[in-house]
Amino acid sequence: MDRYVGQGRLEWWANQSICLEMYDIDITTTVDAVGKWQATGCHASALDTTQREGWDFLMEMDPHFSIAFPGEDRGGITVRVVEAKDGTLTLTEAPDWDGSVSVTFDLT
């Protein structure tokens, strides 16, 4: 089993050209013998009120992020993020995610 413990960066991309937000995380990743990738982590520093509102908004819209590791300019692995009540993040690889999101806004 391969393992990485260190820092990473979650990136939320609106499209291939626009990254709306980036969040630094402390992460532990593992890859098992059959190549299944998974990770757990937490935000590298506590989110302030504005950052928390942005994080919650993006997570509600679509919990898929790209993850970048040190030395990478842009994330290459798409992950689905689940946040537990204690702030622990669980990341699972989402290779089949097509990047489409259906969002409805009430403008009244």
Side-chain angles (χ1 to χ4, degrees):
M1 176 179 291
D2 290 333
R3 180 179 173 100
Y4 168 78
V5 177
Q7 293 246 313
R9 182 180 66 245
L10 291 175
E11 304 171 342
W12 200 97
W13 290 85
N15 57 43
Q16 291 186 3
S17 301
I18 300 171
C19 180
L20 289 183
E21 191 59 82
M22 292 183 255
Y23 299 93
D24 291 328
I25 60 171
D26 295 322
I27 188 170
T28 300
T29 64
T30 57
V31 180
D32 65 19
V34 295
K36 183 174 177 164
W37 186 98
Q38 59 186 6
T40 58
C42 61
H43 291 283
S45 58
L47 301 180
D48 66 26
T49 302
T50 302
Q51 291 170 321
R52 172 50 65 182
E53 288 174 357
W55 170 262
D56 290 343
F57 176 77
L58 294 175
M59 287 288 288
E60 187 173 322
M61 279 192 40
D62 184 21
H64 289 89
F65 291 76
S66 290
I67 186 160
F69 293 100
E72 294 180 335
D73 292 334
R74 183 173 176 166
I77 299 172
T78 301
V79 295
R80 184 175 193 284
V81 179
V82 175
E83 183 175 23
K85 290 186 187 279
D86 68 358
T88 300
L89 305 175
T90 301
L91 292 69
T92 53
E93 189 173 10
D96 296 334
W97 183 71
D98 66 2
S100 63
V101 177
S102 178
V103 179
T104 303
F105 291 98
D106 181 7
L107 300 176
T108 59

